Amino acid sequence: MAWSQKRRQMGQTIAFVPTMGYFHEGHLELMREGRRVADTVAASIFVNPTQFGPTEDFDAYPRDLDRDLKIAQGAGADAIFTPDRKDLYPDGYDTFIHAEKLPHHLCGLSRPGHFQGVLTIVAKLFHIVRPHTAIFGQKDYQQLAIIRQMVKDLNFDIRIIGFPTVREKDGLAMSSRNVRLSPSQRISARCLYQSLIKAKEAVANGETDPKKIIASTGTLIRSHPDTEIDYIKLCDTDTLDDVIVINRSVLMALAVKVGNTRLIDNMILSQ
Ligand code: AMP
C-alpha cells in the first residue's frame, strides 16, 4: 500500500487495527492505543466472508461506513483501508492459512473454518498494510492467541498487542452485534459478565473445581430468558486445553446465544 510505503520512508512507525467495522468504543480504544505506541495509525474495515460459516450472519452483519470513517478520524486513525471483496479474494483465489491445534477449542468447535478465515485475512492485511505493531482485543481471546502463534510461526516482523475488553456500564462487552439485541435480550445479555465475575470471586475464595463453576454458571445463564449456551469453558491460558483442577490462573470463556445473537466474553480467573 502506497500510504504505508510513504510512512516507512519517512521513518514513521505504523500501528494497525484490523476490524469488521460498525465501530464502538472498543474499536476506538484500539486506535487510541495505536496512537500511543506508534507514529501513525491505520485501521481496516472489511467484513471478511471467509470467516463466516454458511449459516452465519455475514449478510446481516451491521455496516455503516460513513459513520465509521468519521468516528475513526476522531479517535486518531490516519488511514482507513476499506478493501473490496474482489480485491482480496479475486476469482480463482486458492490459498488459506490453517492452524493445527488452537482452533480445536472454544469458538473453533462451533465455527468450523472460522479461524482459517481469520488467519488468512489477517496475514493478507499484514502484507498489504505492513505495520510495525498490530492491536487486537482480548475480548476475542482465542483469535488473539491464534494470531500471536501465526506471527511467531510464520516469522512476521510485527509486534502484537492484546488490548483489554472495553465494556458497557453494566459490564456487557462491547460488540458490533449488540445492536441486534432487543431491549429484553439486552438485559439477558448481562448474564455473561455476571457469570464471569461470580466465577472470579469463587476462584479467589478458594474454589478449585471447574465442574462446579461450570454448573453454577450454566444455572445462572439459563435463568435469563432467551439464552442458549454454546460453551462454558475453563481452560489453560496458553494451550486452551480444559483444566481439570484450578491450581493456577485460568481462562474462563463463554459463548451464549441471546435470541439470535451469539455473544462471547472471557476473563482470567486467579487464585
Ligand atoms: P471486530 O470488528 O469485531 O472484528 O473487532 C475488531 C477488533 O476489535 C478485534 O481485535 C476485536 O478483538 C476488537 N474488539 C472488539 N470488541 C472489543 C471490545 N469490547 N473491547 C476491546 N476490543 C474489542
Side-chain angles (χ1 to χ4, degrees), residues 167 193 196-197 200 250-253 265-269:
R167 298 180 178 283
Y193 182 67
L196 294 169
I197 291 293
K200 195 176 174 68
V250 299
L251 173 75
M252 178 158 171
D265 203 348
N266 68 79
M267 199 171 274
I268 304 287
L269 314 182

Side-chain angles (χ1 to χ4, degrees), residues 19 21-24 27-28 31 42-46 63-83:
T19 81
Y22 209 75
F23 290 154
H24 50 68
H27 295 117
L28 301 182
M31 295 175 208
S44 62
I45 300 174
F46 183 64
R63 295 163 167 92
D64 188 345
L65 189 57
D66 290 343
R67 171 180 161 273
D68 281 353
L69 294 176
K70 276 188 210 120
I71 63 177
Q73 268 171 5
D78 301 300
I80 312 279
F81 181 44
T82 58

Side-chain angles (χ1 to χ4, degrees), residues 19-267:
T19 81
M20 298 203 297
Y22 209 75
F23 290 154
H24 50 68
E25 269 303 305
H27 295 117
L28 301 182
E29 278 298 315
L30 301 192
M31 295 175 208
R32 292 183 192 113
E33 176 71 359
R35 286 234 75 89
R36 288 189 282 271
V37 301
D39 298 320
T40 185
V41 180
S44 62
I45 300 174
F46 183 64
V47 184
N48 174 36
T50 66
Q51 70 189 67
F52 287 80
T55 61
E56 292 182 356
D57 59 348
F58 175 75
D59 288 326
Y61 197 84
R63 295 163 167 92
D64 188 345
L65 189 57
D66 290 343
R67 171 180 161 273
D68 281 353
L69 294 176
K70 276 188 210 120
I71 63 177
Q73 268 171 5
D78 301 300
I80 312 279
F81 181 44
T82 58
D84 272 352
R85 180 178 182 153
K86 281 199 292 302
D87 295 335
L88 293 182
Y89 299 112
D91 287 347
Y93 187 88
D94 198 32
T95 304
F96 293 88
I97 298 186
H98 162 83
E100 280 291 331
K101 291 203 185 88
L102 286 173
H104 294 290
H105 298 278
L106 307 178
C107 291
L109 297 177
S110 30
R111 304 188 70 187
H114 170 68
F115 288 111
Q116 174 168 303
V118 169
L119 287 178
T120 303
I121 192 64
V122 168
K124 284 167 69 68
L125 291 170
F126 281 176
H127 287 306
I128 295 166
V129 177
R130 296 181 57 223
H132 298 83
T133 302
I135 306 164
F136 294 87
Q138 289 169 5
K139 190 198 134 215
D140 299 280
Y141 187 101
Q142 186 176 19
Q143 168 174 284
L144 174 61
I146 292 178
I147 289 168
R148 281 191 197 282
Q149 187 71 43
M150 174 187 76
V151 163
K152 192 169 150 211
D153 289 347
L154 298 186
N155 309 89
F156 280 91
D157 187 15
I158 297 174
R159 177 168 67 123
I160 303 297
I161 294 180
F163 193 84
T165 302
V166 179
R167 298 180 178 283
E168 302 286 356
K169 279 204 187 74
D170 63 0
L172 176 67
M174 289 193 181
S175 163
S176 305
R177 290 186 169 103
N178 291 350
V179 292
R180 297 217 306 260
L181 298 167
S182 71
S184 65
Q185 290 167 350
R186 173 65 186 78
I187 292 171
S188 282
R190 292 179 186 159
C191 69
L192 282 87
Y193 182 67
Q194 284 169 0
S195 308
L196 294 169
I197 291 293
K198 216 174 142 217
K200 195 176 174 68
E201 281 167 11
V203 170
N205 289 329
E207 181 57 75
T208 56
D209 185 355
K211 282 204 207 90
K212 284 195 187 148
I213 291 184
I214 290 167
S216 63
T217 301
T219 307
L220 191 152
I221 291 175
R222 278 187 285 270
S223 75
H224 288 72
D226 237 354
T227 56
E228 186 189 324
I229 296 166
D230 178 354
Y231 62 74
I232 303 168
K233 290 282 184 185
L234 270 72
C235 49
D236 184 89
T237 53
D238 294 327
T239 64
L240 306 182
D241 290 333
D242 288 350
V243 294
I244 310 299
V245 57
I246 305 168
N247 53 10
R248 58 191 186 283
S249 291
V250 299
L251 173 75
M252 178 158 171
L254 303 174
V256 178
K257 263 180 99 175
V258 182
N260 285 324
T261 307
R262 187 174 179 278
L263 303 177
I264 58 171
D265 203 348
N266 68 79
M267 199 171 274

